[in-house]
Amino acid sequence: MNILTKWLRSYVPNIPTEVDDTQLAEDLTLRGIAVEGVHSLGEGNGHLFEMDITTNRVDAMNHYGIAREAATIYDLPLASLDAALPAAKSAAAFPVRIEEPGLCGRFTAQVLRDVTILPSTGVVAEMFSLLEQKQISNAVDASNFVLLGMGHPTHAFDLDKIEGGIVVRLARQGEKLKLLDGTERTLEADDLVVADERKALGLAGVMGGWDSMITPETKNILVEAAWFDPASIRRSSRRHGLHTDASHRFERGADFNAAPIANGLVSKLILASGGYVEGALVDIVVPEIAAKTASRPAISLSVKEVQRHLGTTLAPEGITREIVAQYLSSLGCKLEPQTDDLFAASLPSWRLDLEREIDLIEEVARVYGYNKFANTLPSPGVVIAQPTAAAEAAVRARLLALGFSESISSTFASQAESDLFFAGTESKGTITMENPLSDEATLLRPSLVPGMVTMLANNLNRDVREVRLFEQGQVFSGSTERVHEAASLSLGLTGAAQASALYPAADAGFYELKGAVESLLSLFDRGGDHAAVKIVAETPKWLEPGRSASLLLGDKVVATFGELTSAEREARKLRQPVFLAEVDLAYLYTLPLKNVMARELSRYQAVERDFSVLLPDTMQWQTIAAAIEALAIPEMTKLAPVEVFRDAKGKAVAAGQYALLLRCIFQSNDRTLREEELTNWSSAIVAALTGLGGVLRDGHQGS
């Protein structure tokens, strides 16, 4: 929402001159009233604050509420709202009846006669102009001005279009109502409406009706301000797809005691253009609702509890009894001393979010300033993050971003699973449980893969065809006398993998898994002996030969991945291919994480160049990419295969060859690329491709 500092300061006129609007914005933000933008409105007009007010702070969704926060911060008086009206010409009261007291806890009505409908002038026109708020007429603008000023919704009816008195009731099923936006709505039986004796006049707390709106011909007005049940307003607002300024506030709990003040403020603004008051203000209060909102029981507040919860401050005196009383009183609480330590705190009607002692303690901390507390850890003991915490978080975040969901499997495994998934590492030993729960849980797991296979099977057996899972956990080896724990990671996926230019859909799962493993490796700084990445075909027996691989850093195997063997898949009655990976996190955690670097996006046009080349079937993409990247063209920002084509009949492409459509994208951060540069780079790329035995198709030179 937008707040004018000129308007705000009119409610707290004594803010020191050294506190400029920038400082005011910072002080409010530090107290949880976030100012996200400060915009100058020119000499003498102050600034406009763009504010982000949390949904529980409906009291701060207006200028007066923000002013209350400023007054509390600087320990200054807050100007009162003058809603007094001229004396009425008669004592007659306008008839109002509430048929749903549980949904309308308070209703005020004021009759104004012989009014003049004109364009707004004075402070209303000035503030609306600064806010770029649409002006309609003095009567309608008065309602909007009060809403922006002190936060309570109101509505003005053309009194001459009201038949009889006001009735607050539930709509009749199927009842029609034309609203101010020109749409006709069919009402449900639980929609609350403000009506007269014959028809609905408006959807209560959401929007007024067309038939009773203010027009230039209006002479007599009924000003309404009320309190409506939040749940009822929310239902009607959602049902009819209407989110208005009024519903936004009523849904979150309006101030029960604000209705008569808001009514008086609107009436006063309208009367400034002429007219007179007829009859006293009608103010109907439902005691049961008042007891739940404006007259809630006082809360017992202990100063010692405030000090215990909030801890040490940077100031040596800390948070004293006087500070607690000052802050809470300024926020609207009425404090009655009970003992030297205890207060009985009566809660303000505009703060329905305050319910318990801890809420008041949080208010003290907020106004005092979170930045004024010492950086101390809770006692007893000292909290120390594990050395691998940052790496674990980075791995988790990356896999979640890649579409995997985190899972947890059993810490135990069977001997059969160990024989299969731990084969080849028997020298490490397995840990047998002395008192196993069952034959399926005789060992501490030596690998995460058995649990991953079980979780994938459980999903497939429940007709979940597309699954992406990962698990970070400990694996165990050694003996019962000396147990060794190590961090490990398992990945599992099945179903709905997409083909690309380099591989068919049947192989997509393997390459997706390979990409995930390589993405994890990219998180770590692999300098020195760890820089070289090698992929070999030697894999454990639970992976399908020819459809699996191992990844090495130097001479160390850090990951194995591929497709589960068909024999194991059939034994587990899995109806589609399953791809698995196991990563040695303990080894990766010995490497430092890379520092994340951001670079500025280029403002200059990117240029694409495509190369169509015939290559021998034995030529791998890794070799092609390495040859082109070796050219070290800094302006080449992307290199990707677009299409791979083979002709089984050998007509378009000879047997033993394939056609590759290669795309390069060039872009500079500091200039527009010149044609001669692009020509030179294209020639270099062509030379690299022909050096690999490639032949350009149809004399292609890059396009």
Side-chain angles (χ1 to χ4, degrees):
M1 65 173 297
N2 293 332
I3 293 293
L4 298 175
T5 58
K6 184 175 183 179
W7 194 346
L8 187 156
R9 287 175 179 269
S10 70
Y11 293 133
V12 194
N14 298 323
I15 294 178
T17 55
E18 61 268 21
V19 179
D20 60 13
D21 288 349
T22 302
Q23 183 63 50
L24 176 60
E26 182 178 349
D27 291 340
L28 288 169
T29 301
L30 287 172
R31 271 74 178 183
I33 308 297
V35 180
E36 296 191 328
V38 180
H39 307 282
S40 176
L41 297 177
E43 186 68 28
N45 292 321
H47 291 76
L48 182 143
F49 286 173
E50 288 184 29
M51 309 201 68
D52 181 18
I53 307 299
T54 55
T55 56
N56 66 318
R57 291 299 308 275
V58 66
D59 66 292
M61 295 178 183
N62 56 83
H63 287 76
Y64 196 73
I66 303 296
R68 183 186 294 113
E69 293 288 329
T72 302
I73 294 170
Y74 304 122
D75 191 22
L76 297 171
L78 178 67
S80 59
L81 297 172
D82 182 9
L85 295 178
K89 289 194 175 182
S90 71
F94 190 82
V96 175
R97 185 171 76 254
I98 299 177
E99 292 186 355
E100 295 295 331
L103 303 182
C104 178
R106 189 167 196 171
F107 196 96
T108 66
Q110 180 65 67
V111 173
L112 307 178
R113 295 281 186 182
D114 200 21
V115 300
T116 303
I117 305 301
L118 297 168
S120 294
T121 58
V123 67
V124 175
E126 178 188 3
M127 297 305 173
F128 276 25
S129 176
L130 293 175
L131 286 170
E132 297 184 354
Q133 173 87 15
K134 180 180 179 181
Q135 298 180 46
I136 301 172
S137 68
N138 58 340
V140 178
D141 293 347
S143 183
N144 292 331
F145 183 83
V146 170
L147 177 65
L148 295 171
M150 56 85 68
H152 196 82
T154 59
H155 188 69
F157 297 94
D158 188 323
L159 182 62
D160 296 326
K161 297 175 182 177
I162 298 176
E163 301 180 70
I166 289 291
V167 182
V168 184
R169 59 172 173 83
L170 289 176
R172 304 179 185 93
Q173 184 66 37
E175 185 175 4
K176 305 291 185 180
L177 174 61
K178 186 176 181 181
L179 297 175
L180 286 174
D181 62 0
T183 62
E184 185 176 74
R185 306 286 172 152
T186 301
L187 305 180
E188 299 288 337
D190 63 344
D191 284 327
L192 188 68
V193 297
V194 177
D196 60 21
E197 297 294 348
R198 299 190 60 180
K199 62 185 180 299
L201 301 174
L203 194 57
V206 180
M207 187 179 289
W210 182 275
D211 294 335
S212 58
M213 69 177 176
I214 303 298
T215 68
E217 291 73 34
T218 298
K219 293 298 180 183
N220 303 303
I221 288 178
L222 179 73
V223 179
E224 165 259 310
W227 184 95
F228 298 113
D229 175 64
S232 174
I233 303 306
R234 188 178 301 113
R235 282 194 302 270
S236 292
S237 176
R238 300 297 185 273
R239 177 183 297 124
H240 297 286
L242 295 169
H243 183 80
T244 63
D245 290 336
S247 68
H248 186 81
R249 287 157 176 79
F250 280 127
E251 287 177 18
R252 289 156 178 77
D255 179 1
F256 188 88
N257 286 342
I261 300 172
N263 196 312
L265 291 173
V266 172
S267 299
K268 190 173 183 178
L269 287 171
I270 295 173
L271 291 174
S273 299
Y276 63 90
V277 177
E278 180 180 87
L281 175 72
V282 177
D283 186 6
I284 300 177
V285 175
V286 179
E288 293 80 8
I289 304 298
K292 296 177 182 179
T293 55
S295 304
R296 290 170 290 167
I299 295 175
S300 180
L301 175 65
S302 165
V303 177
K304 291 181 180 178
E305 280 297 289
V306 175
Q307 295 166 341
R308 184 181 74 83
H309 278 283
L310 301 186
T312 307
T313 65
L314 297 177
E317 65 272 14
I319 295 180
T320 64
R321 176 185 174 90
E322 291 72 25
I323 288 176
V324 172
Q326 174 194 326
Y327 289 167
L328 294 180
S329 297
S330 186
L331 288 172
C333 296
K334 295 181 179 178
L335 301 181
E336 292 291 336
Q338 304 294 302
T339 67
D340 289 342
D341 176 54
L342 292 177
F343 287 110
S346 298
L347 304 175
S349 58
W350 56 84
R351 291 298 301 274
L352 296 181
D353 58 312
L354 302 180
E355 297 178 345
R356 302 169 298 165
E357 181 184 45
I358 195 64
D359 296 331
L360 298 179
I361 294 173
E362 182 180 351
E363 288 299 289
V364 173
R366 183 179 65 80
V367 178
Y368 186 80
Y370 297 125
N371 58 322
K372 296 181 180 179
F373 290 93
N375 293 325
T376 58
L377 292 172
S379 59
V382 178
V383 178
I384 300 176
Q386 292 293 327
T388 61
E392 288 177 8
V395 169
R396 177 178 293 108
R398 177 60 57 86
L399 290 171
L400 291 172
L402 290 172
F404 288 79
S405 298
E406 188 166 12
S407 57
I408 300 175
S409 64
S410 173
T411 311
F412 307 112
S414 67
Q415 187 62 53
E417 289 173 333
S418 175
D419 292 341
L420 173 64
F421 294 104
F422 205 48
T425 56
E426 290 84 353
S427 59
K428 293 183 179 180
T430 55
I431 314 300
T432 304
M433 303 292 293
E434 293 184 0
N435 187 24
L437 298 175
S438 68
D439 292 339
E440 300 302 315
T442 59
L443 307 174
L444 286 176
R445 64 186 181 194
S447 168
L448 296 178
V449 176
M452 179 57 66
V453 175
T454 300
M455 290 185 289
L456 291 174
N458 288 339
N459 279 275
L460 290 174
N461 292 337
R462 288 162 177 79
D463 293 325
V464 180
R465 297 300 178 202
E466 183 178 353
V467 187
R468 304 288 186 276
L469 299 176
F470 76 92
E471 179 180 11
Q472 292 187 86
Q474 300 296 111
V475 294
F476 306 87
S477 60
S479 65
T480 53
E481 290 76 22
R482 188 177 181 86
V483 179
H484 174 71
E485 294 186 38
S488 185
L489 169 72
S490 66
L491 303 172
L493 66 86
T494 183
Q498 301 296 318
S500 84
L502 292 178
Y503 47 77
D507 299 334
F510 172 84
Y511 287 104
E512 181 181 343
L513 201 59
K514 175 176 177 288
V517 172
E518 291 175 333
S519 180
L520 290 178
L521 290 182
S522 71
L523 295 171
F524 297 90
D525 187 353
R526 305 191 309 272
D529 296 337
H530 306 291
V533 176
K534 185 178 180 182
I535 295 180
V536 298
E538 292 81 9
T539 56
K541 65 181 181 179
W542 45 273
L543 291 175
E544 191 74 47
R547 299 183 64 77
S548 58
S550 294
L551 188 147
L552 286 71
L553 289 182
D555 296 328
K556 172 68 175 177
V557 177
V558 295
T560 56
F561 54 91
E563 184 178 344
L564 183 66
T565 62
S566 56
E568 289 301 319
R569 195 178 77 218
E570 291 171 4
R572 288 168 169 76
K573 299 180 180 180
L574 303 177
R575 290 168 285 180
Q576 61 190 52
V578 167
F579 298 88
L580 301 164
E582 187 169 31
V583 180
D584 187 351
L585 284 186
Y587 182 75
L588 288 183
Y589 287 166
T590 63
L591 307 177
L593 284 171
K594 286 182 179 177
N595 291 324
V596 178
M597 303 293 290
R599 64 182 181 85
E600 185 177 355
L601 295 176
S602 175
R603 297 177 297 163
Y604 298 93
Q605 180 68 38
V607 180
E608 292 183 358
R609 286 290 185 267
D610 289 348
F611 303 86
S612 183
V613 61
L614 296 173
L615 292 161
D617 270 339
T618 56
M619 183 59 61
Q620 298 180 349
W621 169 252
Q622 183 176 355
T623 304
I624 299 169
I628 296 176
E629 289 170 357
L631 299 174
I633 302 173
E635 289 80 3
M636 187 172 68
T637 60
K638 186 175 182 181
L639 173 68
V642 178
E643 183 180 352
V644 174
F645 175 69
R646 288 181 173 85
D647 186 357
K649 296 181 179 180
K651 293 181 179 180
V653 177
Q657 291 185 321
Y658 67 91
L660 171 66
L661 180 60
L662 178 70
R663 178 164 295 159
C664 299
I665 298 179
F666 304 95
Q667 189 175 29
S668 172
N669 287 327
D670 54 16
R671 70 187 190 283
T672 300
L673 298 178
R674 301 188 302 275
E675 187 61 36
E676 56 267 27
E677 291 180 302
L678 296 168
T679 301
N680 291 337
W681 295 331
S682 296
S683 298
I685 292 171
V686 169
L689 292 172
T690 55
L692 296 174
V695 177
L696 291 183
R697 301 185 70 189
D698 301 327
H700 182 84
Q701 293 295 323
S703 60

